Amino acid sequence: MRIVSQLKRLHKWIAILIGIQLLLWVVSGIVFSFIEHREVGGNFIFKNNKNDQITDAADFSGVLKQYPQSTQITQITLLKENFFKIELREQTLLQETETGRLVTITKELVREIAIKSYGGKGQLKDIVLVNQRSDENRGMKLPVWQVVFEDSYGTHLYLSSTSAEYQGVRTDSWRIFDFFMMLHFMDYGDRGNFNNGLIIFFSLVLVLFSISGMLLVTSSFSQRDFSQLLYRFIDNQHVKLRILNVEGKLQKIKVSKDTRLLEALESNNIELPSVCGGGGICGTCRIRIVKGRALSAAALSDHDLLEEQDLTKGYRLACQLSVHHPMDIEIEKEY
Amino acid sequence: MKRVFWFRRLHKWLALVAGIQVSIWAFSGLYMTVVDLDIIHGDHLVKKQESLPIDPLLLVTISPVLMESIIPVQSIELKNYFGSAVYEIRAHKKNRVIVDAYTGELKTEVNEQQVRGNVAMVYAGTAEIISIEKLRLYPGEIGGKKLPVWRVVFGDSVASTLYFHHISGKLISKRTHLWRVFDKLWTLHIMDYFRSKGHQGYLFRFFSISSLLLAIFGSGLLFYRLRGEVK
Ligand code: FES
């Protein structure tokens, strides 16, 4: 039965394999819980000044005849004028209702719309027609109008170059959020996709990691770990131990009840060798119980790391043993 | 006490505190990444939307009398829902009025017959309808608005459900058990256990910071172990 050691080995190897991503998941999760979600969205920076009121319904038959392949036609107002917004599969166009003329979205028009809707405390700094794909304009149809504001949020407003429609707001908070989203979703390709093979693989491994971890929690806690806390804080009880080293030197010590022997010795300045820090993995903290009730019980890790005949001779791992009754203990190394 | 003892202890106790939530994150994360998002959204349940096959010659312009009754009008959308041409007039405060684009009359509510017709046009699956009913309110899974809605449930293994607007007959939402599981797991993933705004953040912060410490002490243990000795 080497289940516990196998689990520990599995846990260690998975930690090596996905440790970095695990840290990235946790750190990005913390970022998501602290970031100002209002600033990520950025909509509050713009006034929701709804379109002006439409008084007369336009005649849709002309525009419908012209664009039978459109998926939707909407009459809207923009800066007090009436327009048809024509949604085609590939793009959205703007047409004057009166004349049927297609509207070109000029820089001046963009400026007028941007200034009218901006509600922040900064200045409009620049208007650029962007042709280059970037993280900020992911998912928007290019070219797209980018309006840069000089304010504390680092606001960029995006408007469609064919219909002047709102495409999105990007702020510094959004940029941070987006960066950590990329890390969280391991989404280093086209972006916006969390069904990629890489993250599926890592999630699967994480599931194994958490299962092995939970099993290790159940196997590495003994009831006495909890009573030990009680004894320590409420009702300090002690157990007497007699320690013999190989040279025959005898030392009597008093330790808090239910602490692990390894730690109890440690606090009495008796340092046993320990590579794993009490993990029940390395087997270096071996001691022998000469006399005492603990002789009857051996932990799972004892069975994993010690030979059966040694167990019957009284050898145990000091890190797995909780001190409950007085004992005589023999240690191999000098101290 | 030696540093590595402390790492071991803290790792162990933190695992006791945060272990279950970390496992929840792992399992919910796995589900959400494995099942394709389009399938979660139920996109496979419906056919691709057609463009407007509305006859321009039959189109009626909305009368000024009607326009005046819906002040203030924000926009007028010409839409085609399953072969019936409608104007959807958006007024103030999310009010909507739906007008038949061929008669200029206000649309009245669709009946079961029409909903069945719409299902036939939009549904891309093969399962039978096992129930079709008009609910007085939107159920929780589509947002709980205080409006009536038609619900059509199909007899497939994931209880696919389509929701249709009570006046226009428009498809509003698609739900399946895959979506419902996703929704529950999402709640677990972001620890929104009480479905409340403010408090969920603290719970999440507590557990995410605990897991960060768990991971840091774990890394420390790994470091000592790989080095193969204790200082
Ligand atoms: S300290 Fe490593 S097994 Fe006990």
Short mmCIF file of all heavy atoms in Angstrom, two decimals, chain A residues 26 29 33-34 50-51 53-54 58 61 68-70 72-75 89 194-195 214 220 225 260 263 266 271 274-277 279 281, chain B residues 2 5 8-9 12 15 20 23 32-33 35 37 49 51-52 54 56 61 72-79 204-205 208 222 225 230:
data_model
loop_
_atom_site.label_atom_id
_atom_site.label_comp_id
_atom_site.label_asym_id
_atom_site.label_seq_id
_atom_site.Cartn_x
_atom_site.Cartn_y
_atom_site.Cartn_z
N VAL A 26 -5.04 32.28 -9.94
CA VAL A 26 -5.40 32.86 -8.65
C VAL A 26 -5.20 34.37 -8.66
O VAL A 26 -6.07 35.13 -8.24
CB VAL A 26 -4.58 32.20 -7.51
CG1 VAL A 26 -4.95 32.83 -6.19
CG2 VAL A 26 -4.83 30.71 -7.47
N GLY A 29 -7.77 36.03 -10.71
CA GLY A 29 -9.04 36.00 -9.97
C GLY A 29 -9.09 37.12 -8.94
O GLY A 29 -10.10 37.79 -8.79
N SER A 33 -11.59 40.48 -8.70
CA SER A 33 -12.44 40.80 -7.56
C SER A 33 -12.16 42.19 -7.00
O SER A 33 -12.95 42.71 -6.24
CB SER A 33 -12.30 39.73 -6.47
OG SER A 33 -11.09 39.90 -5.78
N PHE A 34 -11.04 42.76 -7.38
CA PHE A 34 -10.73 44.10 -6.85
C PHE A 34 -10.94 45.21 -7.87
O PHE A 34 -11.07 46.37 -7.51
CB PHE A 34 -9.30 44.15 -6.33
CG PHE A 34 -9.16 43.57 -4.95
CD1 PHE A 34 -8.77 42.26 -4.76
CD2 PHE A 34 -9.46 44.35 -3.83
CE1 PHE A 34 -8.66 41.72 -3.48
CE2 PHE A 34 -9.35 43.82 -2.55
CZ PHE A 34 -8.94 42.51 -2.38
N LYS A 50 -30.24 59.82 -25.26
CA LYS A 50 -30.98 59.07 -26.27
C LYS A 50 -31.14 59.95 -27.50
O LYS A 50 -31.04 61.17 -27.44
CB LYS A 50 -32.35 58.69 -25.72
CG LYS A 50 -32.30 57.42 -24.89
CD LYS A 50 -32.29 56.21 -25.80
CE LYS A 50 -31.98 54.94 -25.03
NZ LYS A 50 -31.49 53.88 -25.91
N ASN A 51 -31.36 59.27 -28.60
CA ASN A 51 -31.60 60.00 -29.84
C ASN A 51 -32.74 60.99 -29.63
O ASN A 51 -33.58 60.81 -28.76
CB ASN A 51 -32.01 59.04 -30.94
CG ASN A 51 -30.98 57.95 -31.12
OD1 ASN A 51 -29.81 58.16 -30.80
ND2 ASN A 51 -31.41 56.82 -31.59
N GLN A 53 -36.21 62.82 -30.39
CA GLN A 53 -37.50 62.19 -30.64
C GLN A 53 -37.85 62.18 -32.13
O GLN A 53 -37.58 63.14 -32.85
CB GLN A 53 -38.54 62.99 -29.86
CG GLN A 53 -39.89 62.39 -29.88
CD GLN A 53 -40.87 63.30 -29.20
OE1 GLN A 53 -40.50 64.12 -28.36
NE2 GLN A 53 -42.12 63.18 -29.58
N ILE A 54 -38.44 61.08 -32.57
CA ILE A 54 -38.90 61.00 -33.95
C ILE A 54 -40.37 61.42 -33.98
O ILE A 54 -41.18 60.87 -33.22
CB ILE A 54 -38.77 59.56 -34.49
CG1 ILE A 54 -37.31 59.12 -34.49
CG2 ILE A 54 -39.38 59.45 -35.87
CD1 ILE A 54 -37.11 57.67 -34.85
N ALA A 58 -41.05 57.52 -41.25
CA ALA A 58 -40.64 57.63 -42.65
C ALA A 58 -41.26 56.51 -43.47
O ALA A 58 -41.79 55.54 -42.92
CB ALA A 58 -39.13 57.56 -42.75
N SER A 61 -40.51 51.95 -47.83
CA SER A 61 -40.57 51.09 -49.01
C SER A 61 -39.39 51.30 -49.95
O SER A 61 -38.87 50.34 -50.53
CB SER A 61 -41.90 51.27 -49.74
OG SER A 61 -42.09 52.64 -50.05
N PRO A 68 -32.95 44.77 -50.34
CA PRO A 68 -33.79 43.64 -49.94
C PRO A 68 -33.03 42.60 -49.11
O PRO A 68 -33.64 41.82 -48.39
CB PRO A 68 -34.25 43.04 -51.28
CG PRO A 68 -33.27 43.52 -52.28
CD PRO A 68 -32.68 44.80 -51.78
N GLN A 69 -31.71 42.62 -49.20
CA GLN A 69 -30.92 41.62 -48.46
C GLN A 69 -30.59 42.06 -47.04
O GLN A 69 -29.88 41.38 -46.32
CB GLN A 69 -29.64 41.28 -49.24
CG GLN A 69 -28.53 42.31 -49.21
CD GLN A 69 -28.76 43.50 -50.16
OE1 GLN A 69 -29.90 43.87 -50.46
NE2 GLN A 69 -27.69 44.12 -50.62
N SER A 70 -31.10 43.24 -46.62
CA SER A 70 -30.80 43.71 -45.27
C SER A 70 -31.53 42.86 -44.23
O SER A 70 -32.55 42.25 -44.52
CB SER A 70 -31.20 45.17 -45.12
OG SER A 70 -32.56 45.30 -45.45
N GLN A 72 -32.26 44.14 -41.07
CA GLN A 72 -33.11 45.04 -40.30
C GLN A 72 -32.88 46.46 -40.78
O GLN A 72 -31.76 46.84 -41.10
CB GLN A 72 -32.78 44.94 -38.80
CG GLN A 72 -33.66 45.82 -37.95
CD GLN A 72 -33.43 45.61 -36.47
OE1 GLN A 72 -33.32 44.49 -36.01
NE2 GLN A 72 -33.35 46.70 -35.73
N ILE A 73 -33.96 47.25 -40.81
CA ILE A 73 -33.84 48.67 -41.14
C ILE A 73 -34.47 49.46 -39.99
O ILE A 73 -35.58 49.16 -39.56
CB ILE A 73 -34.55 48.99 -42.47
CG1 ILE A 73 -33.93 48.16 -43.60
CG2 ILE A 73 -34.46 50.48 -42.79
CD1 ILE A 73 -34.71 48.23 -44.90
N THR A 74 -33.74 50.47 -39.52
CA THR A 74 -34.22 51.21 -38.36
C THR A 74 -34.20 52.70 -38.65
O THR A 74 -33.19 53.22 -39.14
CB THR A 74 -33.32 50.94 -37.13
OG1 THR A 74 -33.14 49.55 -36.99
CG2 THR A 74 -33.95 51.50 -35.87
N GLN A 75 -35.28 53.34 -38.33
CA GLN A 75 -35.29 54.81 -38.44
C GLN A 75 -34.80 55.39 -37.12
O GLN A 75 -35.34 55.09 -36.06
CB GLN A 75 -36.70 55.32 -38.75
CG GLN A 75 -36.74 56.84 -38.90
CD GLN A 75 -38.17 57.36 -39.12
OE1 GLN A 75 -39.11 56.59 -39.26
NE2 GLN A 75 -38.30 58.68 -39.14
N ARG A 89 -25.46 42.00 -43.84
CA ARG A 89 -24.67 40.95 -43.18
C ARG A 89 -23.26 41.43 -42.83
O ARG A 89 -22.75 41.16 -41.76
CB ARG A 89 -24.56 39.72 -44.07
CG ARG A 89 -25.84 38.96 -44.10
CD ARG A 89 -25.63 37.47 -44.24
NE ARG A 89 -26.93 36.85 -44.48
CZ ARG A 89 -27.86 36.73 -43.55
NH1 ARG A 89 -27.66 37.16 -42.33
NH2 ARG A 89 -29.03 36.18 -43.84
N PHE A 194 -12.66 30.83 -24.69
CA PHE A 194 -12.16 30.01 -23.60
C PHE A 194 -12.45 28.54 -23.80
O PHE A 194 -12.42 27.77 -22.86
CB PHE A 194 -12.60 30.53 -22.23
CG PHE A 194 -14.07 30.71 -22.04
CD1 PHE A 194 -14.87 29.63 -21.73
CD2 PHE A 194 -14.62 31.96 -22.14
CE1 PHE A 194 -16.23 29.80 -21.53
CE2 PHE A 194 -15.98 32.14 -21.93
CZ PHE A 194 -16.78 31.06 -21.64
N ASN A 195 -12.72 28.15 -25.03
CA ASN A 195 -12.83 26.73 -25.32
C ASN A 195 -11.60 26.23 -26.06
O ASN A 195 -11.68 25.36 -26.90
CB ASN A 195 -14.08 26.44 -26.16
CG ASN A 195 -15.36 26.79 -25.43
OD1 ASN A 195 -16.17 27.56 -25.92
ND2 ASN A 195 -15.53 26.25 -24.25
N MET A 214 -7.24 17.21 -2.10
CA MET A 214 -8.28 16.96 -1.09
C MET A 214 -8.05 15.63 -0.40
O MET A 214 -8.25 15.50 0.81
CB MET A 214 -9.67 17.00 -1.75
CG MET A 214 -10.13 18.38 -2.16
SD MET A 214 -10.10 19.57 -0.82
CE MET A 214 -11.62 19.15 0.02
N SER A 220 -3.64 13.68 5.71
CA SER A 220 -2.55 14.26 6.48
C SER A 220 -3.03 14.89 7.79
O SER A 220 -2.22 15.20 8.66
CB SER A 220 -1.78 15.28 5.66
OG SER A 220 -2.62 16.34 5.34
N ASP A 225 -4.57 16.77 15.50
CA ASP A 225 -4.15 18.10 15.05
C ASP A 225 -5.12 19.16 15.55
O ASP A 225 -4.76 20.30 15.80
CB ASP A 225 -4.08 18.16 13.52
CG ASP A 225 -2.91 17.36 13.00
OD1 ASP A 225 -1.93 17.20 13.74
OD2 ASP A 225 -2.98 16.88 11.86
N ARG A 260 2.71 17.06 16.94
CA ARG A 260 3.46 16.05 16.22
C ARG A 260 4.85 15.92 16.85
O ARG A 260 5.47 16.95 17.17
CB ARG A 260 3.59 16.47 14.75
CG ARG A 260 2.25 16.66 14.06
CD ARG A 260 1.72 15.35 13.55
NE ARG A 260 0.41 15.51 12.94
CZ ARG A 260 0.01 14.79 11.89
NH1 ARG A 260 0.82 13.91 11.33
NH2 ARG A 260 -1.20 14.94 11.42
N GLU A 263 7.73 18.15 15.57
CA GLU A 263 7.69 19.55 15.98
C GLU A 263 7.96 19.69 17.47
O GLU A 263 8.60 20.65 17.91
CB GLU A 263 6.33 20.16 15.64
CG GLU A 263 6.14 20.34 14.14
CD GLU A 263 4.73 20.74 13.77
OE1 GLU A 263 4.00 21.25 14.65
OE2 GLU A 263 4.36 20.54 12.60
N GLU A 266 11.59 19.45 17.95
CA GLU A 266 12.15 20.68 17.39
C GLU A 266 12.09 21.82 18.40
O GLU A 266 13.05 22.55 18.60
CB GLU A 266 11.34 21.04 16.13
CG GLU A 266 11.69 22.37 15.52
CD GLU A 266 12.81 22.24 14.51
OE1 GLU A 266 13.15 21.12 14.13
OE2 GLU A 266 13.34 23.29 14.14
N GLU A 271 16.83 18.47 16.91
CA GLU A 271 16.51 18.55 15.49
C GLU A 271 16.73 17.21 14.81
O GLU A 271 17.84 16.74 14.68
CB GLU A 271 17.41 19.59 14.81
CG GLU A 271 16.85 20.97 14.93
CD GLU A 271 17.45 21.94 13.92
OE1 GLU A 271 17.92 21.47 12.87
OE2 GLU A 271 17.47 23.12 14.22
N SER A 274 15.09 16.25 8.41
CA SER A 274 13.80 16.24 7.73
C SER A 274 13.96 16.95 6.40
O SER A 274 14.34 18.11 6.35
CB SER A 274 12.77 16.97 8.58
OG SER A 274 11.74 17.44 7.76
N VAL A 275 13.71 16.23 5.33
CA VAL A 275 13.85 16.85 4.01
C VAL A 275 12.54 17.46 3.57
O VAL A 275 12.49 18.51 2.96
CB VAL A 275 14.34 15.80 2.98
CG1 VAL A 275 14.28 16.37 1.58
CG2 VAL A 275 15.78 15.39 3.31
N CYS A 276 11.44 16.80 3.93
CA CYS A 276 10.16 17.27 3.39
C CYS A 276 9.42 18.18 4.36
O CYS A 276 8.31 18.63 4.06
CB CYS A 276 9.29 16.08 2.99
SG CYS A 276 8.75 15.08 4.38
N GLY A 277 10.01 18.46 5.51
CA GLY A 277 9.35 19.37 6.43
C GLY A 277 8.11 18.76 7.07
O GLY A 277 7.12 19.44 7.28
N GLY A 279 6.27 16.13 5.88
CA GLY A 279 5.25 15.76 4.92
C GLY A 279 4.99 14.27 4.84
O GLY A 279 4.10 13.82 4.12
N ILE A 281 7.01 12.16 3.50
CA ILE A 281 7.41 11.78 2.16
C ILE A 281 8.85 11.25 2.13
O ILE A 281 9.17 10.31 1.42
CB ILE A 281 7.33 12.99 1.20
CG1 ILE A 281 5.93 13.59 1.26
CG2 ILE A 281 7.66 12.58 -0.22
CD1 ILE A 281 5.88 14.98 0.71
N LYS B 2 11.73 25.60 12.04
CA LYS B 2 12.27 25.71 10.69
C LYS B 2 11.20 26.25 9.73
O LYS B 2 10.02 25.94 9.88
CB LYS B 2 12.70 24.34 10.19
CG LYS B 2 14.00 23.86 10.75
CD LYS B 2 14.30 22.52 10.11
CE LYS B 2 15.24 21.71 10.96
NZ LYS B 2 15.10 20.28 10.69
N PHE B 5 8.84 23.73 8.11
CA PHE B 5 7.75 23.23 8.95
C PHE B 5 6.56 24.15 8.86
O PHE B 5 5.42 23.72 8.79
CB PHE B 5 8.20 23.14 10.41
CG PHE B 5 9.11 21.98 10.70
CD1 PHE B 5 9.50 21.11 9.69
CD2 PHE B 5 9.57 21.76 11.99
CE1 PHE B 5 10.34 20.04 9.96
CE2 PHE B 5 10.40 20.70 12.27
CZ PHE B 5 10.79 19.84 11.26
N ARG B 8 4.77 23.75 5.61
CA ARG B 8 3.98 22.52 5.61
C ARG B 8 2.68 22.72 6.37
O ARG B 8 1.60 22.41 5.90
CB ARG B 8 4.82 21.40 6.23
CG ARG B 8 4.09 20.12 6.51
CD ARG B 8 3.85 19.29 5.30
NE ARG B 8 5.07 19.01 4.56
CZ ARG B 8 5.08 18.60 3.30
NH1 ARG B 8 3.95 18.41 2.64
NH2 ARG B 8 6.21 18.37 2.69
N ARG B 9 2.84 23.29 7.57
CA ARG B 9 1.66 23.51 8.41
C ARG B 9 0.64 24.43 7.77
O ARG B 9 -0.54 24.15 7.71
CB ARG B 9 2.11 24.19 9.69
CG ARG B 9 2.26 23.28 10.83
CD ARG B 9 2.29 24.17 12.01
NE ARG B 9 2.30 23.41 13.23
CZ ARG B 9 2.46 23.98 14.41
NH1 ARG B 9 2.64 25.28 14.47
NH2 ARG B 9 2.45 23.27 15.49
N LYS B 12 -1.09 22.96 4.83
CA LYS B 12 -2.07 21.97 5.25
C LYS B 12 -3.35 22.64 5.75
O LYS B 12 -4.46 22.30 5.34
CB LYS B 12 -1.42 21.16 6.37
CG LYS B 12 -2.11 19.92 6.78
CD LYS B 12 -1.17 19.10 7.68
CE LYS B 12 -1.86 18.79 8.98
NZ LYS B 12 -1.07 17.92 9.86
N ALA B 15 -5.19 24.48 3.04
CA ALA B 15 -5.87 23.53 2.16
C ALA B 15 -7.19 23.11 2.79
O ALA B 15 -8.19 22.91 2.09
CB ALA B 15 -4.99 22.31 1.92
N ILE B 20 -11.97 23.06 -0.66
CA ILE B 20 -13.24 22.77 -1.32
C ILE B 20 -13.54 23.79 -2.40
O ILE B 20 -13.91 23.46 -3.52
CB ILE B 20 -14.38 22.71 -0.30
CG1 ILE B 20 -14.07 21.55 0.66
CG2 ILE B 20 -15.73 22.56 -0.98
CD1 ILE B 20 -15.23 20.93 1.33
N SER B 23 -11.45 23.17 -5.40
CA SER B 23 -12.00 22.06 -6.18
C SER B 23 -13.21 22.53 -6.99
O SER B 23 -13.38 22.15 -8.15
CB SER B 23 -12.42 20.92 -5.28
OG SER B 23 -11.36 20.56 -4.44
N MET B 32 -16.87 24.55 -17.97
CA MET B 32 -17.07 25.75 -18.80
C MET B 32 -16.12 25.80 -19.98
O MET B 32 -16.43 26.39 -21.00
CB MET B 32 -16.96 27.01 -17.94
CG MET B 32 -18.08 27.08 -16.92
SD MET B 32 -18.21 28.67 -16.09
CE MET B 32 -16.89 28.57 -14.92
N THR B 33 -14.94 25.18 -19.84
CA THR B 33 -14.03 25.21 -20.97
C THR B 33 -14.30 24.07 -21.94
O THR B 33 -14.09 24.22 -23.14
CB THR B 33 -12.55 25.14 -20.52
OG1 THR B 33 -12.38 23.98 -19.70
CG2 THR B 33 -12.14 26.36 -19.75
N VAL B 35 -17.30 22.40 -22.62
CA VAL B 35 -18.52 22.50 -23.43
C VAL B 35 -18.48 23.80 -24.22
O VAL B 35 -18.33 24.88 -23.65
CB VAL B 35 -19.78 22.44 -22.54
CG1 VAL B 35 -21.02 22.35 -23.41
CG2 VAL B 35 -19.72 21.25 -21.61
N LEU B 37 -19.12 27.13 -26.06
CA LEU B 37 -20.02 28.21 -25.65
C LEU B 37 -21.23 28.35 -26.58
O LEU B 37 -22.33 28.67 -26.14
CB LEU B 37 -19.23 29.53 -25.58
CG LEU B 37 -19.92 30.64 -24.81
CD1 LEU B 37 -20.17 30.25 -23.36
CD2 LEU B 37 -19.09 31.92 -24.86
N GLN B 49 -30.76 33.16 -39.26
CA GLN B 49 -31.79 34.16 -39.54
C GLN B 49 -31.74 34.59 -41.01
O GLN B 49 -30.67 34.80 -41.57
CB GLN B 49 -31.56 35.36 -38.64
CG GLN B 49 -32.76 36.26 -38.52
CD GLN B 49 -32.36 37.69 -38.21
OE1 GLN B 49 -31.34 37.91 -37.57
NE2 GLN B 49 -33.15 38.63 -38.68
N SER B 51 -32.66 37.20 -44.23
CA SER B 51 -32.81 38.65 -44.39
C SER B 51 -34.30 38.98 -44.59
O SER B 51 -35.14 38.10 -44.59
CB SER B 51 -31.98 39.13 -45.56
OG SER B 51 -32.27 38.37 -46.70
N LEU B 52 -34.59 40.25 -44.74
CA LEU B 52 -35.99 40.69 -44.74
C LEU B 52 -36.71 40.33 -46.04
O LEU B 52 -36.54 41.06 -47.02
CB LEU B 52 -36.04 42.22 -44.62
CG LEU B 52 -35.62 42.90 -43.34
CD1 LEU B 52 -35.60 44.41 -43.57
CD2 LEU B 52 -36.55 42.56 -42.23
N ILE B 54 -39.56 41.08 -47.01
CA ILE B 54 -40.80 41.84 -46.91
C ILE B 54 -41.07 42.50 -48.26
O ILE B 54 -40.16 43.02 -48.89
CB ILE B 54 -40.69 42.91 -45.80
CG1 ILE B 54 -40.45 42.22 -44.45
CG2 ILE B 54 -41.91 43.78 -45.76
CD1 ILE B 54 -40.13 43.19 -43.34
N PRO B 56 -41.93 45.34 -50.49
CA PRO B 56 -41.98 46.80 -50.32
C PRO B 56 -43.30 47.39 -50.84
O PRO B 56 -43.75 48.44 -50.37
CB PRO B 56 -40.81 47.31 -51.17
CG PRO B 56 -40.05 46.12 -51.64
CD PRO B 56 -40.85 44.90 -51.38
N THR B 61 -46.94 52.89 -44.30
CA THR B 61 -46.24 53.79 -43.40
C THR B 61 -47.07 54.00 -42.13
O THR B 61 -48.30 54.07 -42.21
CB THR B 61 -46.00 55.15 -44.09
OG1 THR B 61 -45.29 54.90 -45.31
CG2 THR B 61 -45.17 56.07 -43.22
N PRO B 72 -42.43 59.72 -26.32
CA PRO B 72 -41.60 60.10 -27.46
C PRO B 72 -41.00 58.86 -28.14
O PRO B 72 -40.49 57.98 -27.46
CB PRO B 72 -40.49 60.91 -26.80
CG PRO B 72 -40.35 60.31 -25.44
CD PRO B 72 -41.67 59.70 -25.07
N VAL B 73 -41.04 58.82 -29.42
CA VAL B 73 -40.50 57.68 -30.16
C VAL B 73 -38.98 57.82 -30.30
O VAL B 73 -38.48 58.87 -30.69
CB VAL B 73 -41.16 57.60 -31.56
CG1 VAL B 73 -40.49 56.50 -32.38
CG2 VAL B 73 -42.64 57.33 -31.42
N GLN B 74 -38.28 56.78 -29.96
CA GLN B 74 -36.81 56.81 -30.07
C GLN B 74 -36.34 56.21 -31.39
O GLN B 74 -35.39 56.70 -31.99
CB GLN B 74 -36.19 56.00 -28.91
CG GLN B 74 -36.52 56.54 -27.54
CD GLN B 74 -35.72 57.77 -27.20
OE1 GLN B 74 -34.73 58.06 -27.84
NE2 GLN B 74 -36.15 58.50 -26.19
N SER B 75 -36.96 55.12 -31.78
CA SER B 75 -36.56 54.51 -33.04
C SER B 75 -37.69 53.64 -33.57
O SER B 75 -38.59 53.23 -32.83
CB SER B 75 -35.31 53.66 -32.85
OG SER B 75 -35.61 52.53 -32.06
N ILE B 76 -37.63 53.39 -34.88
CA ILE B 76 -38.62 52.51 -35.51
C ILE B 76 -37.86 51.44 -36.27
O ILE B 76 -37.07 51.75 -37.16
CB ILE B 76 -39.53 53.27 -36.50
CG1 ILE B 76 -40.19 54.46 -35.79
CG2 ILE B 76 -40.57 52.35 -37.10
CD1 ILE B 76 -40.89 55.41 -36.76
N GLU B 77 -38.06 50.19 -35.90
CA GLU B 77 -37.33 49.11 -36.55
C GLU B 77 -38.28 48.33 -37.45
O GLU B 77 -39.37 47.95 -37.02
CB GLU B 77 -36.75 48.15 -35.51
CG GLU B 77 -35.74 48.81 -34.60
CD GLU B 77 -35.38 47.95 -33.39
OE1 GLU B 77 -35.89 46.83 -33.29
OE2 GLU B 77 -34.61 48.44 -32.56
N LEU B 78 -37.83 48.10 -38.67
CA LEU B 78 -38.61 47.24 -39.56
C LEU B 78 -38.03 45.84 -39.45
O LEU B 78 -36.84 45.63 -39.71
CB LEU B 78 -38.53 47.74 -41.00
CG LEU B 78 -39.31 46.91 -42.02
CD1 LEU B 78 -40.79 46.90 -41.70
CD2 LEU B 78 -39.09 47.43 -43.44
N LYS B 79 -38.88 44.89 -39.06
CA LYS B 79 -38.38 43.55 -38.80
C LYS B 79 -39.26 42.52 -39.46
O LYS B 79 -40.44 42.77 -39.73
CB LYS B 79 -38.39 43.27 -37.29
CG LYS B 79 -37.35 44.06 -36.55
CD LYS B 79 -37.28 43.63 -35.12
CE LYS B 79 -36.05 44.25 -34.49
NZ LYS B 79 -35.84 43.78 -33.13
N PHE B 204 -15.43 36.06 -2.04
CA PHE B 204 -14.53 35.70 -3.13
C PHE B 204 -13.11 36.15 -2.82
O PHE B 204 -12.15 35.41 -3.01
CB PHE B 204 -15.01 36.33 -4.44
CG PHE B 204 -14.23 35.87 -5.63
CD1 PHE B 204 -14.63 34.76 -6.35
CD2 PHE B 204 -13.07 36.52 -5.99
CE1 PHE B 204 -13.89 34.31 -7.42
CE2 PHE B 204 -12.31 36.08 -7.07
CZ PHE B 204 -12.73 34.98 -7.78
N ARG B 205 -12.99 37.36 -2.31
CA ARG B 205 -11.65 37.87 -1.99
C ARG B 205 -10.99 37.02 -0.92
O ARG B 205 -9.81 36.68 -1.01
CB ARG B 205 -11.74 39.31 -1.52
CG ARG B 205 -11.96 40.27 -2.66
CD ARG B 205 -12.18 41.67 -2.17
NE ARG B 205 -12.83 42.44 -3.22
CZ ARG B 205 -13.20 43.69 -3.06
NH1 ARG B 205 -12.99 44.32 -1.92
NH2 ARG B 205 -13.78 44.33 -4.05
N SER B 208 -9.99 33.71 -2.55
CA SER B 208 -8.95 33.78 -3.58
C SER B 208 -7.61 34.15 -2.95
O SER B 208 -6.57 33.64 -3.35
CB SER B 208 -9.34 34.76 -4.70
OG SER B 208 -9.64 36.02 -4.17
N LEU B 222 7.58 22.84 -2.54
CA LEU B 222 8.12 22.24 -3.76
C LEU B 222 9.59 22.61 -3.92
O LEU B 222 10.43 21.78 -4.25
CB LEU B 222 7.31 22.75 -4.95
CG LEU B 222 7.60 22.10 -6.30
CD1 LEU B 222 7.26 20.63 -6.25
CD2 LEU B 222 6.81 22.80 -7.40
N ARG B 225 11.66 20.64 -1.57
CA ARG B 225 11.70 19.24 -1.94
C ARG B 225 12.60 19.02 -3.13
O ARG B 225 13.36 18.05 -3.18
CB ARG B 225 10.30 18.77 -2.26
CG ARG B 225 10.17 17.34 -1.88
CD ARG B 225 8.76 16.97 -1.75
NE ARG B 225 8.64 15.63 -2.30
CZ ARG B 225 7.52 15.14 -2.73
NH1 ARG B 225 6.44 15.87 -2.69
NH2 ARG B 225 7.50 13.93 -3.18
N VAL B 230 17.02 20.32 3.74
CA VAL B 230 16.49 21.42 4.51
C VAL B 230 17.64 22.27 4.98
O VAL B 230 18.67 21.77 5.36
CB VAL B 230 15.70 20.90 5.72
CG1 VAL B 230 15.22 22.04 6.58
CG2 VAL B 230 14.56 20.06 5.24
#
